[in-house]
Amino acid sequence: IGNATTSSAVLAVLLDAPVETVTGRGGGVTDEAFTRKKAVIQKAIAINAPDRNDALDVLAKVGGFDLAAMCGAFLGAGPQRAVHVLGIAQHQLVIDGLISAVAALCACRICPDVRAYLVPSHASYEIGYRLAMDEMGLEPMLLLGMRLGEGSGCPLAFEVLDAACAIINDMATF
């Protein structure tokens, strides 16, 4: 569907990294399609010339509506500590996979305070995911060997966060 492609393009620009070092196969594409994917990303970056120091410019020029919407949700929900459908458990914004990791990185570049509210759910196998996490100084809470995105790690992370908050808030002490 292309969202890993736009995410890789945004990440390549934000990290000032070669496309090959941030781009994964995504949904199991053939070697030919993978080569074409990287070429498309390089061409999009060359044609649109986004300013790597301006995350909004990068989103506008090589991102997608999905990335822009998630970035906006992270920006709006983080510092405001408002509940939002994207994935907040106990005032934490849960990141799930490459696309939301890149959106979170964009949000952090726009407003560094957002980083304090971010919780990565599970480690993605996408090559760019690890780079985005490293750039934000974050570690995923779950290492389950999952090769899925689509919000699959968030429900698991919500349960872990809810349990941790219940222990902190409701557990009797001596």
Side-chain angles (χ1 to χ4, degrees), residues 6-161:
T6 55
S7 296
S8 296
V10 169
L11 191 59
V13 174
L14 290 179
L15 299 182
D16 195 23
V19 170
E20 296 79 18
T21 65
V22 301
T23 306
R25 288 188 173 269
V29 298
T30 65
D31 290 343
E32 180 183 340
F34 186 44
T35 299
R36 189 170 51 250
K37 175 181 179 176
K38 292 182 281 189
V40 165
I41 294 169
Q42 289 170 332
K43 185 174 181 179
I45 292 170
I47 289 172
N48 294 292
D51 177 359
R52 71 175 299 270
N53 297 309
D54 182 350
L56 285 176
D57 188 63
V58 176
L59 279 170
K61 290 181 176 174
V62 296
F65 290 128
D66 54 346
L67 285 173
M70 280 194 270
C71 176
F74 284 132
L75 288 168
Q80 298 302 318
R81 306 193 101 193
V83 175
H84 194 279
V85 295
L86 229 195
I88 297 179
Q90 305 297 330
H91 304 296
Q92 299 296 314
L93 298 164
V94 179
I95 299 169
D96 184 86
L98 173 67
I99 291 87
S100 60
V102 172
L105 177 58
C106 289
C108 288
R109 291 286 178 92
I110 294 166
C111 177
D113 291 344
V114 169
R115 195 241 172 250
Y117 301 98
L118 299 173
V119 176
S121 62
H122 72 287
S124 169
Y125 271 86
E126 280 292 319
I127 188 170
Y129 175 85
R130 178 80 259 154
L131 297 169
M133 289 296 108
D134 289 347
E135 183 70 12
M136 291 184 285
L138 297 171
E139 287 290 331
M141 69 165 61
L142 304 170
L143 304 173
L144 301 174
M146 294 173 31
R147 288 184 145 320
L148 301 170
E150 317 308 333
S152 55
C154 281
L156 299 171
F158 293 154
E159 293 301 319
V160 171
L161 289 171

Side-chain angles (χ1 to χ4, degrees), residues 158-173:
F158 293 154
E159 293 301 319
V160 171
L161 289 171
D162 286 345
C165 289
I167 289 169
I168 290 169
N169 293 325
D170 302 328
M171 188 170 158
T173 61

